[in-house]
């Protein structure tokens, strides 16, 4: 297990991300959707400063920092620099990194709003949503703490093509980890590389990073985005099932299977629809597939 992953006897982890299939020398990586900019509410009466900030589900902390800078009319990098002054109330495991705890919501902006006050509001909102009875009970039922559940939910958020797929994706993660299989998720790898991309190369899967779930077992050291409540519910209460693989062949058609051979056929169809070129395969918005050695 990874350095941040307790022994399997004390925790059942779920992780879901973009898994790549290394076949015929090419990596079939998960089809990722480019992350759009955060939307900022407009001020009334043509005011230059907006009256609210919208944080969509699944945005990374760095994107939230940039949006806060823009909304408050601050120089780039100001919000990130304010983290030390904010003294956010985060779990000890976070080590001061608020990734995963900048809760997706619409936040009002006043003339007195500062980066510190806004980040504090986001983290306090996350605690209210994440530390409720259902989330806590679900985490305990799966032998996780809340921070680990948030980490799992962030991967579910990044990988599921639809809300309906979230639970199944989480179950795939549970099943793979319980079988000692690497997650091989593009979403975690892309986070470590600070990018969003449709394609993953073989070289990418060999990088030395704690977020490279091709080489490392267990959860990444931090969440990889800021998940919403639907992803949290999926991560703490996934449906029963024996799926080990999944691929979104086309919009609205995500196929989950326990058969590696069937999965290969699904991935081949996915590639055919893209004109026959090897492409990202994801456990959610694209095609997900572990390497032959892990399945």
């Amino acid at each position: 297990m990874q350095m941040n992953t307790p022994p399997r006897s004390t925790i059942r982890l779920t992780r879901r991300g973009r898994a790549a299939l290394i076949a015929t020398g090419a990596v079939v990586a998960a089809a990722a959707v480019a992350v759009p900019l955060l939307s900022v509410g407009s001020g009334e009466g043509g005011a230059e400063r907006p009256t609210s900030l919208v944080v969509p589900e699944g945005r990374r902390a760095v994107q939230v920092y940039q949006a806060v800078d823009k909304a408050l009319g601050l120089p780039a990098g100001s919000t990130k620099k304010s983290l030390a002054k904010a003294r956010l109330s985060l779990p000890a495991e976070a080590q001061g990194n608020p990734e995963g705890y900048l809760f997706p919501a619409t936040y009002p902006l006043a003339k007195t709003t500062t980066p510190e006050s806004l980040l504090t509001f986001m983290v306090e909102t996350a605690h209210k949503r994440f530390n409720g009875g259902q989330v806590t009970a679900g985490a305990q039922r799966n032998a996780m703490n809340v921070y680990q559940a948030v980490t799992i939910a962030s991967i579910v958020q990044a990988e599921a093509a639809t809300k309906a797929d979230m639970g199944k994706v989480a179950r795939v993660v549970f099943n793979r980890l319980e079988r000692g299989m690497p997650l091989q998720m593009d979403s975690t790898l892309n986070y470590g590389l600070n990018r969003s991309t449709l394609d993953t190369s073989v070289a990418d899967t060999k990088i030395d990073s704690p977020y490279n779930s091709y080489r490392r077992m267990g959860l990444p050291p931090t969440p990889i985005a800021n998940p919403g409540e639907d992803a949290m519910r999926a991560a703490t209460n996934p449906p029963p099932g024996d799926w080990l693989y999944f691929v979104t062949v086309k919009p609205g058609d995500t196929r989950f299977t326990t058969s590696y051979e069937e999965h290969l056929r699904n991935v081949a169809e996915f590639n055919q629809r893209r004109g026959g070129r090897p492409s990202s395969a994801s456990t959610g918005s694209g095609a997900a597939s572990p390497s032959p050695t892990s399945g």
Side-chain angles (χ1 to χ4, degrees), residues 96-182:
N97 180 358
E99 189 74 83
Y101 281 77
L102 303 177
F103 191 78
T106 299
Y107 295 93
L109 302 177
K111 291 182 178 179
T112 57
T113 300
T114 64
E116 298 95 303
S117 66
L118 195 50
L119 293 176
T120 297
F121 193 0
M122 293 178 188
V123 172
E124 289 177 347
T125 302
H127 280 302
K128 291 177 182 178
R129 297 293 194 275
F130 296 160
N131 291 326
Q134 290 186 340
V135 170
T136 302
Q140 292 176 345
R141 185 168 55 249
N142 290 290
M144 301 181 292
N145 62 35
V146 172
Y147 189 72
Q148 290 163 333
V150 173
T151 300
I152 291 165
S154 74
I155 301 173
V156 170
Q157 187 76 65
E159 290 295 336
T162 65
K163 175 182 174 181
D165 288 338
M166 286 183 171
K168 285 186 175 181
V169 169
R171 176 53 65 190
V172 168
V173 175
F174 270 117
N175 290 344
R176 289 183 64 81
L177 290 174
E178 288 173 350
R179 286 162 176 74
M181 300 169 69

Side-chain angles (χ1 to χ4, degrees), residues 160-213:
T162 65
K163 175 182 174 181
D165 288 338
M166 286 183 171
K168 285 186 175 181
V169 169
R171 176 53 65 190
V172 168
V173 175
F174 270 117
N175 290 344
R176 289 183 64 81
L177 290 174
E178 288 173 350
R179 286 162 176 74
M181 300 169 69
L183 294 179
Q184 297 178 309
M185 305 289 184
D186 284 358
S187 58
T188 65
L189 180 60
N190 283 332
Y191 183 84
L193 292 171
N194 191 29
R195 70 180 189 187
S196 295
T197 182
L198 296 177
D199 300 296
T200 298
S201 68
V202 173
D204 290 337
T205 66
K206 295 179 180 179
I207 67 168
D208 184 14
S209 167
Y211 293 94
N212 184 358
S213 57

Side-chain angles (χ1 to χ4, degrees), residues 240-272:
D242 58 358
W243 314 289
L244 291 173
Y245 315 98
F246 67 92
V247 55
T248 299
V249 175
K250 60 183 178 179
D253 183 9
T254 299
R255 302 176 189 177
F256 294 82
T257 179
T258 187
S259 166
Y260 184 64
E261 290 72 23
E262 181 180 353
H263 181 63
L264 290 180
R265 292 193 292 270
N266 292 336
V267 171
E269 182 177 342
F270 170 73
N271 285 328
Q272 185 178 24

Side-chain angles (χ1 to χ4, degrees), residues 34-40 54 56 59 63 66-67 70:
V35 180
L37 294 176
L38 300 177
S39 56
V40 178
V54 179
R59 298 310 187 261
Q63 294 174 296
Q66 292 167 353
K70 182 178 179 181

Side-chain angles (χ1 to χ4, degrees), residues 72 139-140 200 219 273:
L72 300 184
Q140 292 176 345
T200 298
L219 291 174
R273 289 178 177 277

Side-chain angles (χ1 to χ4, degrees), residues 30-111:
V33 177
V35 180
L37 294 176
L38 300 177
S39 56
V40 178
S42 301
E44 298 179 359
E48 292 184 4
R49 181 159 170 166
T51 59
S52 63
L53 171 65
V54 179
V55 179
E57 296 174 344
R59 298 310 187 261
R60 297 174 182 172
V62 65
Q63 294 174 296
V64 178
Y65 302 152
Q66 292 167 353
V68 173
D69 286 343
K70 182 178 179 181
L72 300 184
L74 300 172
S78 297
T79 299
K80 186 174 182 179
K81 291 178 182 177
S82 73
L83 286 174
K85 293 188 294 182
R87 297 188 179 185
L88 302 174
S89 177
L90 296 166
E93 301 96 322
Q95 297 184 5
N97 180 358
E99 189 74 83
Y101 281 77
L102 303 177
F103 191 78
T106 299
Y107 295 93
L109 302 177
K111 291 182 178 179

